[in-house]
């Protein structure tokens, strides 16, 4: 089923830290670069060693995008020109797979990309074109090139059934590793590629009734808004769109979608899809086990990322640590999953290359500064149909 050179089977580990905090048996599906570092006086020391790359591109995207590119080369031959529009992780996954398979790859990326991202893409022998302020503008430029070149193929960042199938392999692995049906699966969601893979994978292994909790940050939560646009919810969150967000109709699936023309979240570098996959929104709305959408304040993701680094010795992007918020907040966990003995949950630790020790130090400093100024309000979370709650600053 899998090609070890394009993506790897990854471990599912039991977390005693998060199990104690959440009141559940917590298992982590690791799609990350595993890093070790030292801590002292609650400050990160700038000493680290990468001990194992669990995926070639440091994220789950190696699976779906690697699977798509593998199929394209089989069908079109080694002369194919792969083109992708991406804010980072998807482009890097495509570049890694293209280098491994020996085919040409061009990555279209929006303006404002960090030099470190460009360096990583160039190291994989990818051609990089920086254009447009947002993902959709880069996508349009990439499509123009595909239309002009007969040997060019667009590699979808997240909106494609073959990509979802590739991502679904992780659920095959979880099913074998866990040996039983979990009470819930938690993941982050941006455009919906990972979520699409989880939905497809759950259907394959007979877990179509297992609840899936999809988490985003407020200010980059196009999926949550899109789901609510197609329900009967009358909450203010469901009926009032944030500034710079418009409603669009997808005629193919007869769905309304939220289109973000700007973002106000620190996690938007990875979670900031301008609009979600209509196909995944449709699957989510029709799924037997349902999808619970949750939008959290940035500070909750920041806190989860810092704590995860301290406890598990792994650095993850804010997009990834957003997934872990319910594990650190039992109030939220108990709202999402009814309390009962022996709850077993799986968190997809999705990875990403946009993280570093210096960034984690900056995140810690920002978080501590905000905690010093904290009020009694707590941090905001919006669940499901728009039910808003405030979570305490402490962990539990």
């Amino acid at each position: 089923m899998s090609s070890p050179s394009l993506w790897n089977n990854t471990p599912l580990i039991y977390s005693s830290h998060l199990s104690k905090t959440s009141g559940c048996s917590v298992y982590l599906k690791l799609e990350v670069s595993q890093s070790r570092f030292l801590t002292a006086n609650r400050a990160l020391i700038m000493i680290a060693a990468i001990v194992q790359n669990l995926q070639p591109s440091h994220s789950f995207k190696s699976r779906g995008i690697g699977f798509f590119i593998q199929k394209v080369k089989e069908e079109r031959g080694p002369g194919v020109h792969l083109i992708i529009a991406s804010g980072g992780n998807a482009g890097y996954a495509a570049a890694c797979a293209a280098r491994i398979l020996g085919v040409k790859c061009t990555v279209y990326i929006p303006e404002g990309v960090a030099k470190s991202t460009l360096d990583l893409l160039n190291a994989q022998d990818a051609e990089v074109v920086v254009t447009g302020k947002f993902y959709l503008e880069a996508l349009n430029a990439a499509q123009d090139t595909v239309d002009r070149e007969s040997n060019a193929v667009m590699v979808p960042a997240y909106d494609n059934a073959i990509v979802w199938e590739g991502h679904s392999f992780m659920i095959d692995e979880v099913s074998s590793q866990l040996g039983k049906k979990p009470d819930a699966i938690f993941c982050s969601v941006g455009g919906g590629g990972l979520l699409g893979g989880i939905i497809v994978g759950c259907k394959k292994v007979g877990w179509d009734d297992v609840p899936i909790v999809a988490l985003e940050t407020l200010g980059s939560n196009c999926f949550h808004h899109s789901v609510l646009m197609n329900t009967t919810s009358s909450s203010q969150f469901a009926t009032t769109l944030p500034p710079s967000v418009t409603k669009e109709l997808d005629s193919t699936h007869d769905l309304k979608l939220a289109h973000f023309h700007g973002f106000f979240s620190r996690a938007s570098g990875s979670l900031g899809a301008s609009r979600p996959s209509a196909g995944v929104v449709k699957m989510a709305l029709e799924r037997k086990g349902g999808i619970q959408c949750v939008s959290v304040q940035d500070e909750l993701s920041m806190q989860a990322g810092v704590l995860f680094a301290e406890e598990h010795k792994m650095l993850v992007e804010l997009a990834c640590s957003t997934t872990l918020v319910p594990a650190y907040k039992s109030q939220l966990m108990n709202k999402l999953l009814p309390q009962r003995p022996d709850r077993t949950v799986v968190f997809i630790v999705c990875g990403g290359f946009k993280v570093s020790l210096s960034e984690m130090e900056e995140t810690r400093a920002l978080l501590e500064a905000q905690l010093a100024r904290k009020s009694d309000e707590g941090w905001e979370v919006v669940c499901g149909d728009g039910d808003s709650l405030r979570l305490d600053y402490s962990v539990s």
Side-chain angles (χ1 to χ4, degrees), residues 217-218 265-266 296-307 318 321-322 325 329 363 366-371 373 378-380 390 393:
T217 53
L218 292 162
S265 167
R266 292 176 62 85
V296 305
Q297 194 170 325
D298 273 4
E299 285 78 5
L300 285 161
S301 300
M302 294 162 66
Q303 184 184 56
V306 170
L307 290 169
L318 281 180
S321 61
T322 298
V325 169
K329 301 293 183 181
T363 298
L366 286 170
L367 186 62
E368 290 181 344
Q370 294 192 29
L371 285 171
R373 300 191 302 268
W379 287 321
E380 184 180 8
R390 293 279 176 172
Y393 302 108

PDB file of all heavy atoms in Angstrom, residues 217-218 265-266 296-307 318 321-322 325 329 363 366-371 373 378-380 390 393:
ATOM      1  N   THR A 217      -8.293  27.696  14.597  1.00  0.00           N
ATOM      2  CA  THR A 217      -8.183  28.899  15.414  1.00  0.00           C
ATOM      3  C   THR A 217      -9.154  29.959  14.909  1.00  0.00           C
ATOM      4  O   THR A 217      -9.428  30.052  13.713  1.00  0.00           O
ATOM      5  CB  THR A 217      -6.753  29.474  15.391  1.00  0.00           C
ATOM      6  OG1 THR A 217      -6.335  29.663  14.035  1.00  0.00           O
ATOM      7  CG2 THR A 217      -5.782  28.552  16.105  1.00  0.00           C
ATOM      8  N   LEU A 218      -9.675  30.740  15.843  1.00  0.00           N
ATOM      9  CA  LEU A 218     -10.508  31.877  15.477  1.00  0.00           C
ATOM     10  C   LEU A 218      -9.691  32.820  14.600  1.00  0.00           C
ATOM     11  O   LEU A 218      -8.565  33.182  14.937  1.00  0.00           O
ATOM     12  CB  LEU A 218     -10.974  32.611  16.746  1.00  0.00           C
ATOM     13  CG  LEU A 218     -11.950  31.822  17.629  1.00  0.00           C
ATOM     14  CD1 LEU A 218     -12.003  32.428  19.028  1.00  0.00           C
ATOM     15  CD2 LEU A 218     -13.340  31.796  16.999  1.00  0.00           C
ATOM     16  N   SER A 265      -5.061  35.309  12.693  1.00  0.00           N
ATOM     17  CA  SER A 265      -4.613  34.231  13.574  1.00  0.00           C
ATOM     18  C   SER A 265      -3.152  33.950  13.301  1.00  0.00           C
ATOM     19  O   SER A 265      -2.709  33.933  12.144  1.00  0.00           O
ATOM     20  CB  SER A 265      -5.431  32.962  13.343  1.00  0.00           C
ATOM     21  OG  SER A 265      -4.833  31.846  13.963  1.00  0.00           O
ATOM     22  N   ARG A 266      -2.398  33.690  14.364  1.00  0.00           N
ATOM     23  CA  ARG A 266      -0.982  33.338  14.203  1.00  0.00           C
ATOM     24  C   ARG A 266      -0.811  31.974  13.546  1.00  0.00           C
ATOM     25  O   ARG A 266       0.264  31.655  13.039  1.00  0.00           O
ATOM     26  CB  ARG A 266      -0.279  33.336  15.565  1.00  0.00           C
ATOM     27  CG  ARG A 266      -0.137  34.712  16.201  1.00  0.00           C
ATOM     28  CD  ARG A 266       0.491  34.611  17.588  1.00  0.00           C
ATOM     29  NE  ARG A 266       1.826  34.059  17.541  1.00  0.00           N
ATOM     30  CZ  ARG A 266       2.928  34.760  17.315  1.00  0.00           C
ATOM     31  NH1 ARG A 266       2.847  36.067  17.102  1.00  0.00           N
ATOM     32  NH2 ARG A 266       4.117  34.177  17.316  1.00  0.00           N
ATOM     33  N   VAL A 296     -10.779  27.838  18.437  1.00  0.00           N
ATOM     34  CA  VAL A 296     -10.164  28.251  19.697  1.00  0.00           C
ATOM     35  C   VAL A 296      -9.333  29.511  19.508  1.00  0.00           C
ATOM     36  O   VAL A 296      -8.810  29.787  18.429  1.00  0.00           O
ATOM     37  CB  VAL A 296      -9.277  27.134  20.287  1.00  0.00           C
ATOM     38  CG1 VAL A 296     -10.066  25.840  20.450  1.00  0.00           C
ATOM     39  CG2 VAL A 296      -8.035  26.890  19.438  1.00  0.00           C
ATOM     40  N   GLN A 297      -9.203  30.259  20.578  1.00  0.00           N
ATOM     41  CA  GLN A 297      -8.356  31.445  20.583  1.00  0.00           C
ATOM     42  C   GLN A 297      -6.896  31.033  20.434  1.00  0.00           C
ATOM     43  O   GLN A 297      -6.472  29.993  20.940  1.00  0.00           O
ATOM     44  CB  GLN A 297      -8.572  32.205  21.897  1.00  0.00           C
ATOM     45  CG  GLN A 297      -8.026  33.614  21.934  1.00  0.00           C
ATOM     46  CD  GLN A 297      -8.489  34.359  23.177  1.00  0.00           C
ATOM     47  OE1 GLN A 297      -9.619  34.154  23.638  1.00  0.00           O
ATOM     48  NE2 GLN A 297      -7.630  35.221  23.701  1.00  0.00           N
ATOM     49  N   ASP A 298      -6.104  31.852  19.739  1.00  0.00           N
ATOM     50  CA  ASP A 298      -4.696  31.540  19.480  1.00  0.00           C
ATOM     51  C   ASP A 298      -3.941  31.138  20.742  1.00  0.00           C
ATOM     52  O   ASP A 298      -3.101  30.229  20.722  1.00  0.00           O
ATOM     53  CB  ASP A 298      -3.990  32.746  18.860  1.00  0.00           C
ATOM     54  CG  ASP A 298      -4.106  32.787  17.345  1.00  0.00           C
ATOM     55  OD1 ASP A 298      -4.793  31.917  16.774  1.00  0.00           O
ATOM     56  OD2 ASP A 298      -3.514  33.696  16.739  1.00  0.00           O
ATOM     57  N   GLU A 299      -4.215  31.855  21.846  1.00  0.00           N
ATOM     58  CA  GLU A 299      -3.458  31.616  23.069  1.00  0.00           C
ATOM     59  C   GLU A 299      -3.601  30.185  23.574  1.00  0.00           C
ATOM     60  O   GLU A 299      -2.683  29.637  24.191  1.00  0.00           O
ATOM     61  CB  GLU A 299      -3.891  32.613  24.149  1.00  0.00           C
ATOM     62  CG  GLU A 299      -3.374  34.022  23.952  1.00  0.00           C
ATOM     63  CD  GLU A 299      -4.140  34.801  22.898  1.00  0.00           C
ATOM     64  OE1 GLU A 299      -5.155  34.282  22.371  1.00  0.00           O
ATOM     65  OE2 GLU A 299      -3.740  35.942  22.593  1.00  0.00           O
ATOM     66  N   LEU A 300      -4.740  29.568  23.328  1.00  0.00           N
ATOM     67  CA  LEU A 300      -4.915  28.168  23.716  1.00  0.00           C
ATOM     68  C   LEU A 300      -3.994  27.254  22.917  1.00  0.00           C
ATOM     69  O   LEU A 300      -3.408  26.311  23.466  1.00  0.00           O
ATOM     70  CB  LEU A 300      -6.376  27.759  23.533  1.00  0.00           C
ATOM     71  CG  LEU A 300      -7.338  28.287  24.600  1.00  0.00           C
ATOM     72  CD1 LEU A 300      -8.779  28.231  24.100  1.00  0.00           C
ATOM     73  CD2 LEU A 300      -7.187  27.497  25.895  1.00  0.00           C
ATOM     74  N   SER A 301      -3.851  27.530  21.628  1.00  0.00           N
ATOM     75  CA  SER A 301      -2.928  26.752  20.790  1.00  0.00           C
ATOM     76  C   SER A 301      -1.489  26.992  21.221  1.00  0.00           C
ATOM     77  O   SER A 301      -0.674  26.057  21.266  1.00  0.00           O
ATOM     78  CB  SER A 301      -3.097  27.140  19.319  1.00  0.00           C
ATOM     79  OG  SER A 301      -4.400  26.884  18.876  1.00  0.00           O
ATOM     80  N   MET A 302      -1.176  28.241  21.551  1.00  0.00           N
ATOM     81  CA  MET A 302       0.175  28.580  22.002  1.00  0.00           C
ATOM     82  C   MET A 302       0.513  27.838  23.291  1.00  0.00           C
ATOM     83  O   MET A 302       1.596  27.260  23.436  1.00  0.00           O
ATOM     84  CB  MET A 302       0.287  30.087  22.187  1.00  0.00           C
ATOM     85  CG  MET A 302       0.167  30.880  20.888  1.00  0.00           C
ATOM     86  SD  MET A 302      -0.203  32.644  21.148  1.00  0.00           S
ATOM     87  CE  MET A 302       1.289  33.197  21.961  1.00  0.00           C
ATOM     88  N   GLN A 303      -0.422  27.853  24.243  1.00  0.00           N
ATOM     89  CA  GLN A 303      -0.198  27.165  25.510  1.00  0.00           C
ATOM     90  C   GLN A 303      -0.015  25.668  25.296  1.00  0.00           C
ATOM     91  O   GLN A 303       0.896  25.052  25.876  1.00  0.00           O
ATOM     92  CB  GLN A 303      -1.368  27.422  26.454  1.00  0.00           C
ATOM     93  CG  GLN A 303      -1.175  26.818  27.846  1.00  0.00           C
ATOM     94  CD  GLN A 303      -2.391  27.012  28.722  1.00  0.00           C
ATOM     95  OE1 GLN A 303      -3.496  26.607  28.355  1.00  0.00           O
ATOM     96  NE2 GLN A 303      -2.207  27.633  29.886  1.00  0.00           N
ATOM     97  N   ALA A 304      -0.849  25.064  24.457  1.00  0.00           N
ATOM     98  CA  ALA A 304      -0.732  23.629  24.188  1.00  0.00           C
ATOM     99  C   ALA A 304       0.613  23.303  23.548  1.00  0.00           C
ATOM    100  O   ALA A 304       1.244  22.291  23.882  1.00  0.00           O
ATOM    101  CB  ALA A 304      -1.877  23.172  23.295  1.00  0.00           C
ATOM    102  N   GLY A 305       1.078  24.148  22.619  1.00  0.00           N
ATOM    103  CA  GLY A 305       2.359  23.906  21.962  1.00  0.00           C
ATOM    104  C   GLY A 305       3.525  23.959  22.920  1.00  0.00           C
ATOM    105  O   GLY A 305       4.444  23.126  22.870  1.00  0.00           O
ATOM    106  N   VAL A 306       3.537  24.942  23.827  1.00  0.00           N
ATOM    107  CA  VAL A 306       4.617  25.074  24.806  1.00  0.00           C
ATOM    108  C   VAL A 306       4.611  23.895  25.778  1.00  0.00           C
ATOM    109  O   VAL A 306       5.654  23.300  26.078  1.00  0.00           O
ATOM    110  CB  VAL A 306       4.490  26.414  25.562  1.00  0.00           C
ATOM    111  CG1 VAL A 306       5.448  26.462  26.752  1.00  0.00           C
ATOM    112  CG2 VAL A 306       4.778  27.586  24.627  1.00  0.00           C
ATOM    113  N   LEU A 307       3.433  23.542  26.274  1.00  0.00           N
ATOM    114  CA  LEU A 307       3.336  22.417  27.206  1.00  0.00           C
ATOM    115  C   LEU A 307       3.727  21.096  26.543  1.00  0.00           C
ATOM    116  O   LEU A 307       4.391  20.246  27.152  1.00  0.00           O
ATOM    117  CB  LEU A 307       1.913  22.321  27.753  1.00  0.00           C
ATOM    118  CG  LEU A 307       1.502  23.446  28.709  1.00  0.00           C
ATOM    119  CD1 LEU A 307       0.000  23.403  28.970  1.00  0.00           C
ATOM    120  CD2 LEU A 307       2.272  23.352  30.020  1.00  0.00           C
ATOM    121  N   LEU A 318       1.759  25.847  15.483  1.00  0.00           N
ATOM    122  CA  LEU A 318       0.500  26.202  16.128  1.00  0.00           C
ATOM    123  C   LEU A 318      -0.676  25.464  15.491  1.00  0.00           C
ATOM    124  O   LEU A 318      -1.632  25.092  16.170  1.00  0.00           O
ATOM    125  CB  LEU A 318       0.257  27.710  16.046  1.00  0.00           C
ATOM    126  CG  LEU A 318       1.017  28.580  17.043  1.00  0.00           C
ATOM    127  CD1 LEU A 318       0.669  30.040  16.818  1.00  0.00           C
ATOM    128  CD2 LEU A 318       0.707  28.181  18.471  1.00  0.00           C
ATOM    129  N   SER A 321      -0.569  22.171  17.283  1.00  0.00           N
ATOM    130  CA  SER A 321      -0.897  22.225  18.710  1.00  0.00           C
ATOM    131  C   SER A 321      -2.357  22.591  18.939  1.00  0.00           C
ATOM    132  O   SER A 321      -2.911  22.288  20.008  1.00  0.00           O
ATOM    133  CB  SER A 321       0.020  23.206  19.445  1.00  0.00           C
ATOM    134  OG  SER A 321      -0.108  24.518  18.964  1.00  0.00           O
ATOM    135  N   THR A 322      -2.997  23.213  17.950  1.00  0.00           N
ATOM    136  CA  THR A 322      -4.431  23.486  18.056  1.00  0.00           C
ATOM    137  C   THR A 322      -5.204  22.197  18.304  1.00  0.00           C
ATOM    138  O   THR A 322      -6.164  22.158  19.078  1.00  0.00           O
ATOM    139  CB  THR A 322      -4.931  24.176  16.765  1.00  0.00           C
ATOM    140  OG1 THR A 322      -4.256  25.421  16.622  1.00  0.00           O
ATOM    141  CG2 THR A 322      -6.430  24.437  16.813  1.00  0.00           C
ATOM    142  N   VAL A 325      -5.482  21.100  22.132  1.00  0.00           N
ATOM    143  CA  VAL A 325      -6.099  21.944  23.155  1.00  0.00           C
ATOM    144  C   VAL A 325      -7.047  21.163  24.066  1.00  0.00           C
ATOM    145  O   VAL A 325      -6.979  21.283  25.298  1.00  0.00           O
ATOM    146  CB  VAL A 325      -6.804  23.157  22.513  1.00  0.00           C
ATOM    147  CG1 VAL A 325      -7.672  23.893  23.534  1.00  0.00           C
ATOM    148  CG2 VAL A 325      -5.778  24.112  21.911  1.00  0.00           C
ATOM    149  N   LYS A 329      -7.370  20.814  28.404  1.00  0.00           N
ATOM    150  CA  LYS A 329      -8.501  21.505  29.012  1.00  0.00           C
ATOM    151  C   LYS A 329      -9.636  20.501  29.216  1.00  0.00           C
ATOM    152  O   LYS A 329     -10.440  20.253  28.309  1.00  0.00           O
ATOM    153  CB  LYS A 329      -8.975  22.664  28.119  1.00  0.00           C
ATOM    154  CG  LYS A 329      -7.899  23.712  27.832  1.00  0.00           C
ATOM    155  CD  LYS A 329      -7.508  24.472  29.103  1.00  0.00           C
ATOM    156  CE  LYS A 329      -6.484  25.558  28.790  1.00  0.00           C
ATOM    157  NZ  LYS A 329      -6.069  26.280  30.009  1.00  0.00           N
ATOM    158  N   THR A 363       7.006  32.249  21.197  1.00  0.00           N
ATOM    159  CA  THR A 363       5.647  31.894  21.599  1.00  0.00           C
ATOM    160  C   THR A 363       5.510  31.892  23.112  1.00  0.00           C
ATOM    161  O   THR A 363       4.534  32.402  23.667  1.00  0.00           O
ATOM    162  CB  THR A 363       5.270  30.512  21.033  1.00  0.00           C
ATOM    163  OG1 THR A 363       5.288  30.559  19.611  1.00  0.00           O
ATOM    164  CG2 THR A 363       3.892  30.081  21.505  1.00  0.00           C
ATOM    165  N   LEU A 366       5.457  35.519  24.402  1.00  0.00           N
ATOM    166  CA  LEU A 366       4.166  36.165  24.136  1.00  0.00           C
ATOM    167  C   LEU A 366       3.096  35.641  25.083  1.00  0.00           C
ATOM    168  O   LEU A 366       2.274  36.406  25.609  1.00  0.00           O
ATOM    169  CB  LEU A 366       3.749  35.909  22.685  1.00  0.00           C
ATOM    170  CG  LEU A 366       4.499  36.679  21.602  1.00  0.00           C
ATOM    171  CD1 LEU A 366       4.149  36.127  20.229  1.00  0.00           C
ATOM    172  CD2 LEU A 366       4.160  38.160  21.670  1.00  0.00           C
ATOM    173  N   LEU A 367       3.111  34.343  25.308  1.00  0.00           N
ATOM    174  CA  LEU A 367       2.114  33.733  26.174  1.00  0.00           C
ATOM    175  C   LEU A 367       2.269  34.226  27.611  1.00  0.00           C
ATOM    176  O   LEU A 367       1.285  34.579  28.277  1.00  0.00           O
ATOM    177  CB  LEU A 367       2.258  32.208  26.111  1.00  0.00           C
ATOM    178  CG  LEU A 367       1.205  31.386  26.847  1.00  0.00           C
ATOM    179  CD1 LEU A 367      -0.183  31.622  26.257  1.00  0.00           C
ATOM    180  CD2 LEU A 367       1.560  29.904  26.772  1.00  0.00           C
ATOM    181  N   GLU A 368       3.503  34.273  28.101  1.00  0.00           N
ATOM    182  CA  GLU A 368       3.732  34.714  29.473  1.00  0.00           C
ATOM    183  C   GLU A 368       3.365  36.178  29.649  1.00  0.00           C
ATOM    184  O   GLU A 368       2.842  36.572  30.702  1.00  0.00           O
ATOM    185  CB  GLU A 368       5.181  34.450  29.865  1.00  0.00           C
ATOM    186  CG  GLU A 368       5.496  32.963  30.011  1.00  0.00           C
ATOM    187  CD  GLU A 368       6.928  32.701  30.422  1.00  0.00           C
ATOM    188  OE1 GLU A 368       7.771  33.624  30.307  1.00  0.00           O
ATOM    189  OE2 GLU A 368       7.213  31.568  30.864  1.00  0.00           O
ATOM    190  N   ALA A 369       3.623  36.993  28.611  1.00  0.00           N
ATOM    191  CA  ALA A 369       3.241  38.408  28.685  1.00  0.00           C
ATOM    192  C   ALA A 369       1.733  38.554  28.764  1.00  0.00           C
ATOM    193  O   ALA A 369       1.205  39.398  29.517  1.00  0.00           O
ATOM    194  CB  ALA A 369       3.793  39.158  27.481  1.00  0.00           C
ATOM    195  N   GLN A 370       1.013  37.740  28.010  1.00  0.00           N
ATOM    196  CA  GLN A 370      -0.447  37.818  28.028  1.00  0.00           C
ATOM    197  C   GLN A 370      -1.018  37.280  29.335  1.00  0.00           C
ATOM    198  O   GLN A 370      -2.001  37.797  29.859  1.00  0.00           O
ATOM    199  CB  GLN A 370      -1.030  37.073  26.833  1.00  0.00           C
ATOM    200  CG  GLN A 370      -0.678  37.748  25.509  1.00  0.00           C
ATOM    201  CD  GLN A 370      -1.471  37.198  24.349  1.00  0.00           C
ATOM    202  OE1 GLN A 370      -2.584  36.744  24.520  1.00  0.00           O
ATOM    203  NE2 GLN A 370      -0.896  37.258  23.163  1.00  0.00           N
ATOM    204  N   LEU A 371      -0.379  36.253  29.894  1.00  0.00           N
ATOM    205  CA  LEU A 371      -0.823  35.724  31.169  1.00  0.00           C
ATOM    206  C   LEU A 371      -0.629  36.760  32.284  1.00  0.00           C
ATOM    207  O   LEU A 371      -1.430  36.837  33.219  1.00  0.00           O
ATOM    208  CB  LEU A 371      -0.070  34.435  31.503  1.00  0.00           C
ATOM    209  CG  LEU A 371      -0.500  33.192  30.728  1.00  0.00           C
ATOM    210  CD1 LEU A 371       0.463  32.041  30.989  1.00  0.00           C
ATOM    211  CD2 LEU A 371      -1.914  32.784  31.098  1.00  0.00           C
ATOM    212  N   ARG A 373      -1.043  39.847  31.992  1.00  0.00           N
ATOM    213  CA  ARG A 373      -2.080  40.873  31.844  1.00  0.00           C
ATOM    214  C   ARG A 373      -3.488  40.271  31.889  1.00  0.00           C
ATOM    215  O   ARG A 373      -4.458  40.947  31.579  1.00  0.00           O
ATOM    216  CB  ARG A 373      -1.928  41.595  30.499  1.00  0.00           C
ATOM    217  CG  ARG A 373      -0.605  42.297  30.301  1.00  0.00           C
ATOM    218  CD  ARG A 373      -0.669  43.207  29.071  1.00  0.00           C
ATOM    219  NE  ARG A 373      -0.996  42.482  27.867  1.00  0.00           N
ATOM    220  CZ  ARG A 373      -0.101  41.966  27.035  1.00  0.00           C
ATOM    221  NH1 ARG A 373       1.190  42.075  27.313  1.00  0.00           N
ATOM    222  NH2 ARG A 373      -0.477  41.329  25.939  1.00  0.00           N
ATOM    223  N   GLY A 378     -10.922  34.583  30.760  1.00  0.00           N
ATOM    224  CA  GLY A 378     -10.476  33.323  30.186  1.00  0.00           C
ATOM    225  C   GLY A 378     -10.358  33.410  28.676  1.00  0.00           C
ATOM    226  O   GLY A 378     -10.633  34.446  28.065  1.00  0.00           O
ATOM    227  N   TRP A 379      -9.940  32.305  28.065  1.00  0.00           N
ATOM    228  CA  TRP A 379      -9.730  32.261  26.624  1.00  0.00           C
ATOM    229  C   TRP A 379     -10.950  31.679  25.931  1.00  0.00           C
ATOM    230  O   TRP A 379     -11.592  30.749  26.430  1.00  0.00           O
ATOM    231  CB  TRP A 379      -8.494  31.434  26.294  1.00  0.00           C
ATOM    232  CG  TRP A 379      -7.216  32.146  26.637  1.00  0.00           C
ATOM    233  CD1 TRP A 379      -6.948  33.466  26.475  1.00  0.00           C
ATOM    234  CD2 TRP A 379      -6.037  31.555  27.201  1.00  0.00           C
ATOM    235  NE1 TRP A 379      -5.663  33.744  26.892  1.00  0.00           N
ATOM    236  CE2 TRP A 379      -5.079  32.589  27.343  1.00  0.00           C
ATOM    237  CE3 TRP A 379      -5.692  30.270  27.585  1.00  0.00           C
ATOM    238  CZ2 TRP A 379      -3.797  32.370  27.854  1.00  0.00           C
ATOM    239  CZ3 TRP A 379      -4.430  30.043  28.100  1.00  0.00           C
ATOM    240  CH2 TRP A 379      -3.494  31.083  28.228  1.00  0.00           C
ATOM    241  N   GLU A 380     -11.245  32.194  24.752  1.00  0.00           N
ATOM    242  CA  GLU A 380     -12.498  31.871  24.072  1.00  0.00           C
ATOM    243  C   GLU A 380     -12.409  30.597  23.240  1.00  0.00           C
ATOM    244  O   GLU A 380     -11.416  30.338  22.550  1.00  0.00           O
ATOM    245  CB  GLU A 380     -12.921  33.031  23.164  1.00  0.00           C
ATOM    246  CG  GLU A 380     -14.269  32.805  22.483  1.00  0.00           C
ATOM    247  CD  GLU A 380     -14.680  33.945  21.580  1.00  0.00           C
ATOM    248  OE1 GLU A 380     -13.854  34.860  21.361  1.00  0.00           O
ATOM    249  OE2 GLU A 380     -15.818  33.911  21.079  1.00  0.00           O
ATOM    250  N   ARG A 390     -15.659  30.149  27.845  1.00  0.00           N
ATOM    251  CA  ARG A 390     -14.353  30.657  28.227  1.00  0.00           C
ATOM    252  C   ARG A 390     -13.634  29.614  29.056  1.00  0.00           C
ATOM    253  O   ARG A 390     -14.206  29.042  29.990  1.00  0.00           O
ATOM    254  CB  ARG A 390     -14.507  31.953  29.046  1.00  0.00           C
ATOM    255  CG  ARG A 390     -15.065  33.127  28.238  1.00  0.00           C
ATOM    256  CD  ARG A 390     -13.978  33.784  27.429  1.00  0.00           C
ATOM    257  NE  ARG A 390     -14.500  34.852  26.559  1.00  0.00           N
ATOM    258  CZ  ARG A 390     -13.730  35.684  25.862  1.00  0.00           C
ATOM    259  NH1 ARG A 390     -12.425  35.578  25.925  1.00  0.00           N
ATOM    260  NH2 ARG A 390     -14.269  36.590  25.090  1.00  0.00           N
ATOM    261  N   TYR A 393      -7.185  29.906  32.396  1.00  0.00           N
ATOM    262  CA  TYR A 393      -5.809  29.971  31.917  1.00  0.00           C
ATOM    263  C   TYR A 393      -4.968  28.774  32.381  1.00  0.00           C
ATOM    264  O   TYR A 393      -3.968  28.432  31.754  1.00  0.00           O
ATOM    265  CB  TYR A 393      -5.140  31.259  32.417  1.00  0.00           C
ATOM    266  CG  TYR A 393      -5.869  32.515  31.974  1.00  0.00           C
ATOM    267  CD1 TYR A 393      -6.595  33.262  32.879  1.00  0.00           C
ATOM    268  CD2 TYR A 393      -5.823  32.927  30.652  1.00  0.00           C
ATOM    269  CE1 TYR A 393      -7.272  34.404  32.469  1.00  0.00           C
ATOM    270  CE2 TYR A 393      -6.494  34.062  30.234  1.00  0.00           C
ATOM    271  CZ  TYR A 393      -7.229  34.800  31.147  1.00  0.00           C
ATOM    272  OH  TYR A 393      -7.896  35.928  30.742  1.00  0.00           O
TER     273      TYR A 393
END
